[in-house]
Amino acid sequence: YIPTRLWGFSGHIQTIIHSIVGRVKCPWPLGERVYLALADGSTLTYDLYQPLITTVEDDITVAICPGIGNSSESVYIRTFVHYAQCHGYRCAVLNHIGVLDSVQVTSSRIFTYGHTDDYSAMINSLVKKYPTTNIVSVGFSLGGNLISKYLGEAKRPANIIGGISICQGYNAVIATQWLLKWQNFHRFYLYVLTENVKSIIMKHRHVLLSDDIKQRYQLNERDIAAAATLPELDEAYTRRVHQFPTVKDMYSWSSSLNYLANIQRPMVFVNARDDPLVPDNLLEPVKQFASTHNQSLYIELANGGHLGFYEGGLVYPNPVTWLDRAVVSLIGGIVMSHNDLLVAKRTASSSMLLQYGWTHRCWGLLFAALPSTPSVRGVLMALLKLFLSLFVSKPKVEFVADTPPQTHSSLIVPASSDGANYSNQKSVL
């Protein structure tokens, strides 16, 4: 990864440009919006995008969970979705409750840091729509925490073959303590995050802060409006609505680090050392986890900021970032690993049949040749019939190699860093 030469080596600049600009020459992929009515009265939506190429026979769905306060309309999500579509992947993007202006909040809550019910509802809907599809979970920032926690909480659908977490903090308790400090502009970033969440609450205050809701959960609208940090906002609103005794308890319950050991799928974790929102000490636990679990991979870059990873050029970066290219390649790697595992299982089954097939055949022929009333003469005749059937008329076994169809595992994402015409790039077999 080679950042944009003039400013790409600063994590702060990458993070700020990502927050303000997002991506350059961002496409607007066309999809359909799916509405789901949840049990608690919430209205959940996700956007579904079909692949732009149909020459690949693998049915792969990328289930994307955006960062805090983001949705399918966020610029970096749109760029990644379009790039994934160009490589033959179906994409589903969760819209966090309360983020979209066009979708009204219909219950007393919005999204939170650790509730995975919304993402689970989207996965269940995808499995119902496409029963044979294989799903790769991809989460950005807060979304990375949610998909990791989701995969580690309980047994999940067999359609999910892996997950990719990008720039998450893993431990909300320690992350909040660091963000409350003034060093390295941590407090500034925390203030921006707080205002983002607060604006969503105030945008839907006619529902979220109605008299009935305020009385039920003992909410004070003044305290919510005056909150300057996320812990203050969560104390005034979030932990009360979700009925946690303390904010620390809610943060501990929301942290994906406490659920990583239960993940039964291949997982990839991507972080940058110069990420101003994720201090270095938060990365040590996931490094240790990846070093002790065979189905996990940890990728750490020196530069990239928080979800930036701009590359190419002196001042003006490429439309497609290193992150977009890397995640699509990682998805292909997970699909390849899954396909190789299926082939290995089929090969092992065939080997067992070849190894034990003649033994089963011998016993079957012997018992079939035995007379109904056993005698010495009958047993000798049965052995003679067995000998003749095995060595005189021995069956011939042939193996025919079929040419496998083209799959995602046989596609290699172009390694060129020039993303100007990525929609026209062809996958190399």
Side-chain angles (χ1 to χ4, degrees):
Y1 167 56
I2 302 177
T4 303
R5 294 291 184 179
L6 187 61
W7 47 265
F9 292 91
S10 170
H12 291 289
I13 296 179
Q14 288 232 31
T15 302
I16 293 172
I17 291 179
H18 164 76
S19 302
I20 298 176
V21 179
R23 299 289 186 264
V24 295
K25 296 182 180 179
C26 176
W28 195 288
L30 300 178
E32 61 171 318
R33 180 156 294 170
V34 180
Y35 290 78
L36 302 176
L38 304 185
D40 63 352
S42 302
T43 300
L44 178 69
T45 65
Y46 69 89
D47 287 13
L48 189 61
Y49 304 91
Q50 300 299 332
L52 297 180
I53 61 174
T54 58
T55 57
V56 180
E57 294 189 3
D58 283 337
D59 184 4
I60 307 297
T61 302
V62 183
I64 303 170
C65 189
I68 186 169
N70 298 149
S71 66
S72 60
E73 298 179 358
S74 301
V75 174
Y76 73 98
I77 295 293
R78 285 158 43 195
T79 302
F80 173 73
V81 166
H82 188 257
Y83 190 66
Q85 284 181 289
C86 292
H87 286 83
Y89 297 109
R90 179 190 301 112
C91 295
V93 183
L94 178 70
N95 296 314
H96 290 301
I97 293 179
V99 174
L100 293 177
D101 295 334
S102 58
V103 180
Q104 293 297 317
V105 173
T106 57
S107 67
S108 60
R109 71 171 182 91
I110 59 173
F111 70 94
T112 60
Y113 320 121
H115 283 83
T116 59
D117 294 342
D118 298 345
Y119 189 77
S120 178
M122 182 182 75
I123 294 294
N124 294 337
S125 175
L126 291 173
V127 172
K128 186 176 180 180
K129 280 178 175 289
Y130 310 102
T132 60
T133 189
N134 289 324
I135 299 175
V136 178
S137 297
V138 176
F140 296 88
S141 190
L142 169 69
N145 181 80
L146 287 174
I147 69 158
S148 302
K149 186 173 182 288
Y150 167 78
L151 293 176
E153 280 180 330
K155 186 177 180 180
R156 297 306 182 184
N159 303 65
I160 302 177
I161 62 174
I164 303 174
S165 165
I166 305 152
C167 292
Q168 69 154 308
Y170 306 100
N171 191 328
V173 177
I174 299 178
T176 306
Q177 295 173 356
W178 273 85
L179 290 175
L180 286 172
K181 299 179 180 179
W182 288 99
Q183 292 90 341
N184 206 23
F185 299 100
H186 287 158
R187 193 65 176 259
F188 168 74
Y189 293 109
L190 182 62
Y191 174 78
V192 173
L193 292 175
T194 305
E195 291 300 312
N196 190 5
V197 178
K198 190 194 303 182
S199 65
I200 295 174
I201 297 175
M202 292 303 176
K203 180 172 59 177
H204 301 283
R205 63 176 176 268
H206 62 284
V207 177
L208 300 176
L209 299 178
S210 63
D211 293 337
D212 177 60
I213 298 298
K214 288 193 290 186
Q215 184 177 3
R216 185 190 311 173
Y217 298 111
Q218 299 180 351
L219 302 178
N220 189 323
E221 189 170 348
R222 284 189 176 182
D223 293 341
I224 296 173
T229 64
L230 277 181
E232 293 177 2
L233 181 61
D234 293 332
E235 172 62 34
Y237 175 77
T238 312
R239 72 99 180 162
R240 297 174 184 270
V241 171
H242 295 282
Q243 300 179 351
F244 284 93
T246 64
V247 173
K248 185 177 181 180
D249 291 334
M250 185 183 73
Y251 287 168
S252 178
W253 176 83
S254 302
S255 301
S256 66
L257 184 63
N258 301 324
Y259 302 87
L260 295 184
N262 299 326
I263 297 178
Q264 303 297 323
R265 304 287 197 281
M267 279 295 299
V268 181
F269 304 96
V270 182
N271 285 95
R273 284 204 303 269
D274 65 351
D275 188 339
L277 297 180
V278 183
D280 290 342
N281 63 331
L282 292 178
L283 304 180
E284 291 302 322
V286 72
K287 291 181 185 179
Q288 297 176 5
F289 172 81
S291 64
T292 56
H293 290 74
N294 293 332
Q295 285 190 308
S296 62
L297 171 67
Y298 175 69
I299 302 175
E300 182 180 277
L301 293 94
N303 306 104
H306 190 75
L307 299 179
F309 299 97
Y310 297 96
E311 67 176 353
L314 177 64
V315 179
Y316 200 77
N318 295 336
V320 177
T321 66
W322 175 90
L323 185 62
D324 300 323
R325 296 191 300 108
V327 172
V328 169
S329 298
L330 289 170
I331 293 172
I334 291 176
V335 174
M336 179 184 295
S337 174
H338 177 73
N339 291 343
D340 289 346
L341 182 61
L342 294 180
V343 171
K345 288 182 178 179
R346 286 196 292 264
T347 303
S349 300
S350 301
S351 300
M352 290 181 64
L353 288 175
L354 290 174
Q355 181 178 358
Y356 299 108
W358 282 105
T359 304
H360 294 163
R361 176 177 169 82
C362 291
W363 283 109
L365 291 173
L366 178 60
F367 281 108
L370 284 174
S372 57
T373 304
S375 62
V376 176
R377 183 174 180 275
V379 172
L380 292 176
M381 290 299 296
L383 291 173
L384 179 61
K385 291 180 181 180
L386 174 63
F387 175 80
L388 293 175
S389 63
L390 290 178
F391 297 100
V392 176
S393 59
K394 185 175 180 180
K396 183 179 180 181
V397 181
E398 294 183 354
F399 295 90
V400 180
D402 296 329
T403 302
Q406 185 182 11
T407 62
H408 277 102
S409 60
S410 62
L411 296 180
I412 301 175
V413 177
S416 172
S417 61
D418 183 11
N421 297 314
Y422 68 86
S423 61
N424 296 324
Q425 291 178 345
K426 295 183 179 179
S427 299
V428 182
L429 182 61

